[in-house]
Amino acid sequence: MANFSKSHVPQFSVDVYQNAYLPEGGREVNAIVTVTATGGGTVGSAVAAPQLYAPGRGPSAAVALMVDCSGSMDYPPTKMRNARDATAAAIDTLRDGVHFAVVGGTHVATEVYPGNGRLAVADATTRERAKQALRRLSAGGGTAIGTWLRLADRLLSTADVAIRHGILLTDGRNEHESPDDLKAALDACAGRFTCDARGVGTDWEVKEVTAIASALLGTADIVADPSGLAADFTRMMETAMGKEVADVALRLWTPVGATVRFVKQVAPTVEELTDRRAEAGPRAGDYPTGSWGDESRDYHVCVEVPAADIGREMLAARVSLVVPEPGGSVRNLGAQGLVRAVWTDDVAASTSINPQVAHYTGQAELAQVIRQGLDLRKAGDIDGATAKLGRAVQLAGASGNADTAKLLAKVVDVVDAAAGTVRLKAKVEEADEMTLETRSTKTVRVKK
């Protein structure tokens, strides 16, 4: 892992939003923790590790582009051509000096460029050679995504860089390896590189693609029309090139007698982190958040504390941010937030819900009821699906999540949004249903 001097890392800040007041006997403390990174674009004056930075260019990075080359990519033939063009557009977006490779994915993984287990270093010459290699890509064979990820991991691990990132494109289901094989590959790659995953067309499995992005702390999306791939790949690569620091962990310290109920990212997407805790000394645990550029994210932290008498006050949790250092140690990024608990007999104080907590509790429920509603619809449970998707319409309207409301309106006819009264549409385009499912975890931020 790269060793940064402080000048290379964006400035991180932590803000805590909560209602700290509990009634007598109350034990559950909820807080929204906003983490913001700013000023990362100024990196480049390498001091501690000059080999990891090009002056003024940002941190060193390695990127593996995994392109589905299975037989289904030939139906229609424009799909493979669009995939080649999109990969070429992403290669054009690479910063000079970034290490990269292109992997062709079927039931086996193949090195398309540069080959021989190596990474190329981006410049005008290697970009052109990579694009020439792409022109030779053709469709044929099956789909075993775990093999693509393992090859990408082997290639990325050959570079001593700050940021390791993958971009994965698939158009089909992972039919040539077992779900256990894919899960084992994801477990092996987790924490080693981040990965954005895209499904093109409508013949792929939403839960597979979103599971890949979730396990590897990247983004997932649908590109229903292959002609949109180049623009999407360019955006993804621009975002990857904007990352400044990898492997940031949210460290949560809790006092004796307190237990962490859950930790989840709630903006810009809902991502469950509770089960990813790595113990970090007495009463502390680290939750992975992946790579950061200039950005802000929100996390919902829920802690159970021992009950106390009226008038008592305690620190329920301390939140900080750490990054790994060589030799297995970690460095604290200097930002800290405190979650408090205060017991009161003031009923108004102890029963009011913090607006941030209320908003994101609704957003997490929104993601859940959309998935449940679509699963029930597929299973033929019309009443159950109508109830869940009606609740989703109600939540999307109440929270101002206009994008999700628009997607829902393609699957249900909205009778009364505020009441959550809807009718399932008799005919729904597959792309619309898959878009709603894939983007169900996207949230809107609470208006501060």
Side-chain angles (χ1 to χ4, degrees), residues 64-66 103 109 119 147-157 166 189 193:
L65 290 140
M66 294 161 268
V103 171
L119 294 166
T147 66
W148 316 355
L149 292 164
R150 288 183 187 274
L151 176 56
D153 182 36
R154 284 199 298 278
L155 293 169
L156 292 170
S157 68
C189 296
F193 66 98

mmCIF file of all heavy atoms in Angstrom, residues 64-66 103 109 119 147-157 166 189 193:
data_model
loop_
_atom_site.group_PDB
_atom_site.id
_atom_site.type_symbol
_atom_site.label_atom_id
_atom_site.label_comp_id
_atom_site.label_asym_id
_atom_site.label_seq_id
_atom_site.Cartn_x
_atom_site.Cartn_y
_atom_site.Cartn_z
ATOM 1 N N ALA A 64 -7.834 -1.931 -14.688
ATOM 2 C CA ALA A 64 -8.070 -3.092 -15.550
ATOM 3 C C ALA A 64 -9.462 -2.974 -16.149
ATOM 4 O O ALA A 64 -10.451 -2.820 -15.422
ATOM 5 C CB ALA A 64 -7.940 -4.387 -14.755
ATOM 6 N N LEU A 65 -9.540 -3.024 -17.481
ATOM 7 C CA LEU A 65 -10.819 -2.970 -18.186
ATOM 8 C C LEU A 65 -11.199 -4.380 -18.603
ATOM 9 O O LEU A 65 -10.477 -5.019 -19.374
ATOM 10 C CB LEU A 65 -10.690 -2.076 -19.419
ATOM 11 C CG LEU A 65 -10.525 -0.588 -19.118
ATOM 12 C CD1 LEU A 65 -9.520 0.052 -20.058
ATOM 13 C CD2 LEU A 65 -11.850 0.124 -19.228
ATOM 14 N N MET A 66 -12.317 -4.882 -18.063
ATOM 15 C CA MET A 66 -12.777 -6.249 -18.358
ATOM 16 C C MET A 66 -13.973 -6.186 -19.292
ATOM 17 O O MET A 66 -15.021 -5.661 -18.928
ATOM 18 C CB MET A 66 -13.146 -6.964 -17.046
ATOM 19 C CG MET A 66 -11.970 -7.210 -16.134
ATOM 20 S SD MET A 66 -12.493 -7.538 -14.406
ATOM 21 C CE MET A 66 -12.442 -5.865 -13.739
ATOM 22 N N VAL A 103 -8.726 -6.831 -20.419
ATOM 23 C CA VAL A 103 -8.997 -8.267 -20.259
ATOM 24 C C VAL A 103 -10.235 -8.610 -21.073
ATOM 25 O O VAL A 103 -11.254 -7.914 -20.980
ATOM 26 C CB VAL A 103 -9.216 -8.612 -18.770
ATOM 27 C CG1 VAL A 103 -9.727 -10.045 -18.603
ATOM 28 C CG2 VAL A 103 -7.933 -8.400 -17.972
ATOM 29 N N ALA A 109 -10.567 -16.037 -18.948
ATOM 30 C CA ALA A 109 -10.142 -14.641 -19.070
ATOM 31 C C ALA A 109 -8.875 -14.584 -19.908
ATOM 32 O O ALA A 109 -7.964 -15.404 -19.719
ATOM 33 C CB ALA A 109 -9.888 -14.039 -17.687
ATOM 34 N N LEU A 119 1.256 -4.841 -17.074
ATOM 35 C CA LEU A 119 0.415 -3.671 -17.298
ATOM 36 C C LEU A 119 1.163 -2.732 -18.234
ATOM 37 O O LEU A 119 2.397 -2.658 -18.181
ATOM 38 C CB LEU A 119 0.125 -2.946 -15.977
ATOM 39 C CG LEU A 119 -0.726 -3.689 -14.948
ATOM 40 C CD1 LEU A 119 -0.628 -2.987 -13.593
ATOM 41 C CD2 LEU A 119 -2.181 -3.795 -15.382
ATOM 42 N N THR A 147 -13.386 -15.576 -13.256
ATOM 43 C CA THR A 147 -12.059 -15.699 -13.886
ATOM 44 C C THR A 147 -11.563 -14.342 -14.365
ATOM 45 O O THR A 147 -10.368 -14.056 -14.309
ATOM 46 C CB THR A 147 -12.082 -16.693 -15.061
ATOM 47 O OG1 THR A 147 -12.908 -16.175 -16.120
ATOM 48 C CG2 THR A 147 -12.607 -18.062 -14.642
ATOM 49 N N TRP A 148 -12.491 -13.478 -14.818
ATOM 50 C CA TRP A 148 -12.083 -12.142 -15.265
ATOM 51 C C TRP A 148 -11.533 -11.337 -14.088
ATOM 52 O O TRP A 148 -10.505 -10.661 -14.202
ATOM 53 C CB TRP A 148 -13.251 -11.366 -15.864
ATOM 54 C CG TRP A 148 -14.153 -12.093 -16.807
ATOM 55 C CD1 TRP A 148 -14.022 -13.368 -17.300
ATOM 56 C CD2 TRP A 148 -15.363 -11.584 -17.377
ATOM 57 N NE1 TRP A 148 -15.067 -13.669 -18.129
ATOM 58 C CE2 TRP A 148 -15.910 -12.609 -18.195
ATOM 59 C CE3 TRP A 148 -16.041 -10.371 -17.265
ATOM 60 C CZ2 TRP A 148 -17.103 -12.435 -18.908
ATOM 61 C CZ3 TRP A 148 -17.225 -10.199 -17.968
ATOM 62 C CH2 TRP A 148 -17.746 -11.222 -18.792
ATOM 63 N N LEU A 149 -12.249 -11.433 -12.963
ATOM 64 C CA LEU A 149 -11.843 -10.657 -11.780
ATOM 65 C C LEU A 149 -10.508 -11.128 -11.239
ATOM 66 O O LEU A 149 -9.662 -10.314 -10.835
ATOM 67 C CB LEU A 149 -12.929 -10.774 -10.702
ATOM 68 C CG LEU A 149 -14.264 -10.088 -11.035
ATOM 69 C CD1 LEU A 149 -15.364 -10.588 -10.121
ATOM 70 C CD2 LEU A 149 -14.131 -8.567 -10.937
ATOM 71 N N ARG A 150 -10.299 -12.450 -11.231
ATOM 72 C CA ARG A 150 -9.028 -12.976 -10.709
ATOM 73 C C ARG A 150 -7.848 -12.563 -11.589
ATOM 74 O O ARG A 150 -6.773 -12.229 -11.079
ATOM 75 C CB ARG A 150 -9.101 -14.501 -10.571
ATOM 76 C CG ARG A 150 -9.993 -14.958 -9.409
ATOM 77 C CD ARG A 150 -9.975 -16.473 -9.269
ATOM 78 N NE ARG A 150 -10.914 -16.978 -8.288
ATOM 79 C CZ ARG A 150 -10.659 -17.093 -6.976
ATOM 80 N NH1 ARG A 150 -9.478 -16.698 -6.498
ATOM 81 N NH2 ARG A 150 -11.573 -17.580 -6.153
ATOM 82 N N LEU A 151 -8.047 -12.552 -12.912
ATOM 83 C CA LEU A 151 -6.969 -12.097 -13.795
ATOM 84 C C LEU A 151 -6.704 -10.602 -13.587
ATOM 85 O O LEU A 151 -5.555 -10.167 -13.502
ATOM 86 C CB LEU A 151 -7.312 -12.381 -15.263
ATOM 87 C CG LEU A 151 -6.289 -11.866 -16.301
ATOM 88 C CD1 LEU A 151 -4.891 -12.422 -16.022
ATOM 89 C CD2 LEU A 151 -6.726 -12.219 -17.722
ATOM 90 N N ALA A 152 -7.779 -9.808 -13.483
ATOM 91 C CA ALA A 152 -7.612 -8.374 -13.232
ATOM 92 C C ALA A 152 -6.831 -8.144 -11.939
ATOM 93 O O ALA A 152 -5.928 -7.295 -11.887
ATOM 94 C CB ALA A 152 -8.975 -7.689 -13.150
ATOM 95 N N ASP A 153 -7.152 -8.917 -10.905
ATOM 96 C CA ASP A 153 -6.464 -8.789 -9.615
ATOM 97 C C ASP A 153 -4.976 -9.095 -9.762
ATOM 98 O O ASP A 153 -4.121 -8.367 -9.249
ATOM 99 C CB ASP A 153 -7.117 -9.718 -8.589
ATOM 100 C CG ASP A 153 -6.486 -9.608 -7.211
ATOM 101 O OD1 ASP A 153 -6.101 -8.484 -6.824
ATOM 102 O OD2 ASP A 153 -6.362 -10.640 -6.529
ATOM 103 N N ARG A 154 -4.663 -10.189 -10.490
ATOM 104 C CA ARG A 154 -3.236 -10.555 -10.684
ATOM 105 C C ARG A 154 -2.499 -9.433 -11.408
ATOM 106 O O ARG A 154 -1.373 -9.076 -11.044
ATOM 107 C CB ARG A 154 -3.118 -11.858 -11.483
ATOM 108 C CG ARG A 154 -3.419 -13.112 -10.691
ATOM 109 C CD ARG A 154 -2.852 -14.364 -11.342
ATOM 110 N NE ARG A 154 -3.398 -14.639 -12.661
ATOM 111 C CZ ARG A 154 -4.568 -15.253 -12.881
ATOM 112 N NH1 ARG A 154 -5.318 -15.641 -11.857
ATOM 113 N NH2 ARG A 154 -4.978 -15.480 -14.113
ATOM 114 N N LEU A 155 -3.113 -8.875 -12.434
ATOM 115 C CA LEU A 155 -2.461 -7.814 -13.205
ATOM 116 C C LEU A 155 -2.300 -6.540 -12.367
ATOM 117 O O LEU A 155 -1.213 -5.944 -12.338
ATOM 118 C CB LEU A 155 -3.270 -7.508 -14.471
ATOM 119 C CG LEU A 155 -3.307 -8.629 -15.515
ATOM 120 C CD1 LEU A 155 -4.355 -8.325 -16.586
ATOM 121 C CD2 LEU A 155 -1.946 -8.832 -16.151
ATOM 122 N N LEU A 156 -3.365 -6.133 -11.680
ATOM 123 C CA LEU A 156 -3.303 -4.902 -10.882
ATOM 124 C C LEU A 156 -2.273 -5.006 -9.764
ATOM 125 O O LEU A 156 -1.642 -4.012 -9.391
ATOM 126 C CB LEU A 156 -4.688 -4.583 -10.308
ATOM 127 C CG LEU A 156 -5.761 -4.171 -11.326
ATOM 128 C CD1 LEU A 156 -7.135 -4.112 -10.664
ATOM 129 C CD2 LEU A 156 -5.420 -2.823 -11.958
ATOM 130 N N SER A 157 -2.099 -6.224 -9.226
ATOM 131 C CA SER A 157 -1.177 -6.390 -8.094
ATOM 132 C C SER A 157 0.289 -6.256 -8.509
ATOM 133 O O SER A 157 1.164 -6.155 -7.655
ATOM 134 C CB SER A 157 -1.408 -7.748 -7.411
ATOM 135 O OG SER A 157 -1.022 -8.792 -8.274
ATOM 136 N N GLY A 166 -11.029 -1.414 -11.229
ATOM 137 C CA GLY A 166 -11.495 -2.226 -12.345
ATOM 138 C C GLY A 166 -12.773 -1.649 -12.929
ATOM 139 O O GLY A 166 -13.565 -1.021 -12.229
ATOM 140 N N CYS A 189 -10.878 -10.818 -4.101
ATOM 141 C CA CYS A 189 -10.530 -9.501 -4.657
ATOM 142 C C CYS A 189 -10.920 -8.342 -3.744
ATOM 143 O O CYS A 189 -10.417 -7.228 -3.914
ATOM 144 C CB CYS A 189 -11.202 -9.313 -6.010
ATOM 145 S SG CYS A 189 -10.660 -10.479 -7.282
ATOM 146 N N PHE A 193 -8.868 -4.222 -4.944
ATOM 147 C CA PHE A 193 -9.159 -3.158 -5.909
ATOM 148 C C PHE A 193 -10.651 -2.858 -5.866
ATOM 149 O O PHE A 193 -11.445 -3.682 -5.428
ATOM 150 C CB PHE A 193 -8.704 -3.521 -7.332
ATOM 151 C CG PHE A 193 -9.421 -4.675 -7.985
ATOM 152 C CD1 PHE A 193 -10.469 -4.465 -8.873
ATOM 153 C CD2 PHE A 193 -9.020 -5.993 -7.756
ATOM 154 C CE1 PHE A 193 -11.115 -5.523 -9.503
ATOM 155 C CE2 PHE A 193 -9.653 -7.060 -8.381
ATOM 156 C CZ PHE A 193 -10.716 -6.827 -9.257
#
